[in-house]
Amino acid sequence: MSFFNEVYGSWKDKQLSKYEELVPKMKRCLGKSESVLDIGIGRAWLWKYLKEEGFGFKRIDGVDISREATEPELDGVNYVYIDGSSKDFNLSQELEIDGYDLVFAFDSVHLIDYEDELPGLVKDGGFLLQAVPLRFRKEIKIYREMEVVEQGEIGVEEIDRFVLQGKSD
Ligand SMILES: C[S@@+](CC[C@H](N)C(=O)[O-])C[C@H]1O[C@@H](n2cnc3c(N)ncnc32)[C@H](O)[C@@H]1O
């Protein structure tokens, strides 16, 4: 196992404790979302957890810059590997569909330069979830065209700030 995988693998429990606190706060929108996009999907622990909790999705697109970070890939996820470093990079051009019921940027919004694209990837009536460790909380952008429906802090070993925004129909 590479050093990267060992370090990343050791984060699993701290990520799971955040999901456990977040999911009850999002039950309403998780239950009605069919198409989801995960920016910085990593090992897809969130989607394994949601499956175990009984949630099902018709389409899960997972974006990442690193194949090593996503290994082993999770069945049922469409992986989209990007090189987000170019100035002209445009995420929507890499995706097969125009909009999603739910866009997740979980512990990744502080790593991306294309955050202004996020609201445009959410369908009318859909939701955007951003979460980051507290030290990066200033990286969460509140998008004016969307309403804040839930926000707060989650986690035990590491505390995250999260903001859930919804787009009107
Ligand atoms: C801290 S991990 C979080 C992984 C996952 N969201 C979770 O909850 O465990 C950040 C992930 O974002 C990916 N990443 C880094 N820069 C990125 C970018 N510009 N676009 C998409 N993913 C990126 C990393 O490879 C890594 O898998």
Side-chain angles (χ1 to χ4, degrees):
M1 189 185 276
S2 72
F3 177 71
F4 173 86
N5 269 334
E6 256 178 72
V7 172
Y8 185 25
S10 72
W11 295 349
K12 188 172 184 180
D13 287 347
K14 78 176 183 185
Q15 295 303 85
L16 283 177
S17 75
K18 296 178 203 171
Y19 308 151
E20 275 166 13
E21 283 186 52
L22 179 68
V23 168
K25 300 175 197 294
M26 292 187 64
K27 258 198 168 124
R28 205 169 41 100
C29 70
L30 282 170
K32 67 174 195 178
S33 297
E34 294 190 342
S35 55
V36 295
L37 175 68
D38 188 342
I39 312 273
I41 187 168
R43 292 257 180 99
W45 291 322
L46 173 64
W47 306 100
K48 278 184 215 156
Y49 176 75
L50 289 172
K51 199 175 168 193
E52 283 161 19
E53 290 295 298
F55 293 99
F57 304 94
K58 282 198 177 149
R59 182 179 183 114
I60 303 172
D61 286 355
V63 173
D64 212 294
I65 54 164
S66 159
R67 284 178 189 269
E68 194 180 7
T70 64
E71 276 173 11
E73 289 187 345
L74 182 68
D75 281 349
V77 173
N78 306 306
Y79 286 87
V80 180
Y81 293 100
I82 59 163
D83 172 6
S85 59
S86 142
K87 272 207 152 193
D88 304 325
F89 177 76
N90 187 303
L91 179 59
S92 58
Q93 282 177 2
E94 310 286 323
L95 302 170
E96 285 174 7
I97 63 174
D98 290 336
Y100 296 82
D101 298 314
L102 180 57
V103 175
F104 256 90
F106 199 99
D107 285 354
S108 61
V109 78
H110 57 303
L111 302 171
I112 66 173
D113 294 326
Y114 47 85
E115 64 277 8
D116 290 340
E117 283 195 70
L118 299 185
L121 296 169
V122 179
K123 278 185 186 171
D124 290 347
F127 296 88
L128 168 67
L129 184 282
Q130 301 174 74
V132 279
L134 272 186
R135 63 189 180 281
F136 297 116
R137 63 187 176 278
K138 290 196 177 130
E139 303 284 334
I140 292 184
K141 214 165 163 177
I142 306 294
Y143 298 97
R144 284 192 184 171
E145 59 270 53
M146 301 177 86
E147 185 193 345
V148 174
V149 290
E150 195 80 54
Q151 59 182 318
E153 290 173 10
I154 46 172
V156 178
E157 193 187 328
E158 178 177 68
I159 310 292
D160 266 30
R161 175 89 192 150
F162 79 93
V163 177
L164 178 66
Q165 291 195 266
K167 209 181 226 187
S168 52
D169 285 314

